[in-house]
């Protein structure tokens, strides 16, 4: 059996330790690998939701104006059945079929509209960020892109079209009874309004 010199063994140990430190960093902080910290942004695309035996699909236009201010518009085929959700520091509102309802939580209104989504966490998850103060597990690919995030009973998977892309073009999220697919056609700076008209 060939013995390696002590210096080679030391270098090997150091390489293993360095690799473990890097892997630990990957698991603990996906934000470090994403240029995704902006609180003002807009996405456009398509969304599909499976909840129990119910399936919904829509086009989506999500405008995020600040940490707690957002406007989400969901439109059915040919623009029918539009749902508009607004939220700010004063509460949330839902506009649907010519009626407007208000509540303290945008998530409760989304559930009333048959879209039971964790909206507050989703605004972070869609950009490859973890919700703060909640336990998480994550996996980063060899290009430094977030591939999978587990948090709050949800597993979120990400797909990118380019090796250097920092924001995903497809997000798939799954919980015990709900599955969500979001296909993002456009990321841009927020240009619309987050105030009900």
């Amino acid at each position: 059996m060939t013995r390696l010199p002590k210096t080679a063994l030391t270098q090997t140990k150091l390489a293993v330790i360095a690799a473990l430190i890097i892997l630990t960093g990957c698991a603990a902080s996906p934000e470090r690998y994403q240029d995704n910290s902006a609180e003002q942004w807009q996405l456009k695309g398509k969304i599909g939701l499976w909840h129990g035996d119910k399936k919904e699909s829509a086009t989506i236009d999500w405008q995020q104006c600040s940490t707690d201010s957002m406007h989400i518009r969901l439109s059915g085929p040919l623009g029918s059945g539009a749902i508009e959700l607004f939220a700010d520091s004063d509460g949330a509102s839902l506009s649907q079929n010519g009626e407007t309802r208000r509540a303290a939580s945008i998530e409760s209104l989304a559930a009333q509209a048959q879209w039971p989504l964790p909206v507050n966490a989703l605004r972070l998850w869609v950009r490859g960020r973890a919700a703060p103060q909640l336990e998480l597990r994550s996996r980063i690919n060899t290009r430094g892109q977030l591939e999978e995030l587990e948090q709050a009973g949800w597993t979120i998977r990400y797909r990118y079209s380019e090796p250097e892309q920092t924001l995903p073009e497809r997000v798939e999220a799954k919980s015990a009874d709900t599955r969500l697919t979001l296909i993002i056609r456009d990321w841009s700076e927020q240009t619309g309004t987050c105030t009900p008209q």
Side-chain angles (χ1 to χ4, degrees):
M1 183 176 70
T2 304
R3 291 183 176 273
L4 291 173
K6 284 188 176 180
T7 53
L9 285 172
T10 303
Q11 289 173 349
T12 302
K13 287 179 183 177
L14 288 174
V16 170
I17 291 169
L20 287 172
I21 290 170
I22 290 169
L23 288 172
T24 302
C26 289
S29 182
E31 297 95 326
R32 154 181 330 184
Y33 299 95
Q34 301 288 318
D35 182 18
N36 57 5
S37 59
E39 292 296 349
Q40 293 184 325
W41 49 264
Q42 182 173 11
L43 72 79
K44 294 181 180 181
K46 292 193 173 183
I47 186 169
L49 177 74
W50 293 259
H51 180 67
D53 58 358
K54 189 177 181 65
K55 180 179 178 180
E56 299 281 354
S57 63
T59 60
I60 182 169
D61 184 345
W62 185 326
Q63 298 169 26
Q64 190 72 36
C65 298
S66 66
T67 303
D68 57 6
S69 180
M70 67 187 81
H71 172 204
I72 302 170
R73 179 180 173 82
L74 301 170
S75 304
L78 304 177
S80 64
I83 298 168
E84 293 194 73
L85 291 158
F86 294 89
D88 58 24
S89 57
D90 296 325
S93 67
L94 164 66
S95 296
Q96 184 179 22
N97 300 325
E99 298 182 0
T100 299
R101 285 173 273 177
R102 292 196 61 83
S105 162
I106 192 171
E107 295 182 358
S108 66
L109 290 173
Q112 289 179 37
Q114 305 300 311
W115 286 84
L117 297 173
V119 181
N120 290 317
L122 193 60
R123 74 175 177 83
L124 296 165
W125 292 345
V126 295
R127 293 177 67 82
R129 296 172 62 190
Q133 300 175 341
L134 293 176
E135 291 185 8
L136 68 94
R137 292 179 59 192
S138 65
R139 185 174 72 236
I140 309 295
N141 66 22
T142 56
R143 298 183 297 273
Q145 295 165 318
L146 179 64
E147 279 193 341
E148 186 173 291
L149 174 66
E150 293 181 18
Q151 195 171 40
W154 286 79
T155 299
I156 306 100
R157 294 186 174 92
Y158 300 86
R159 293 186 191 175
Y160 307 83
S161 60
E162 302 292 337
E164 303 301 319
Q165 197 169 339
T166 55
L167 291 171
E169 68 171 13
R170 185 181 179 99
V171 178
E172 298 175 353
K174 187 176 181 180
S175 70
D177 60 354
T178 305
R179 183 161 57 97
L180 165 74
T181 298
L182 179 60
I183 300 171
I184 302 157
R185 305 209 183 283
D186 181 56
W187 282 109
S188 61
E189 294 183 10
Q190 187 276 329
T191 56
T193 176
C194 289
T195 304
Q197 300 300 302

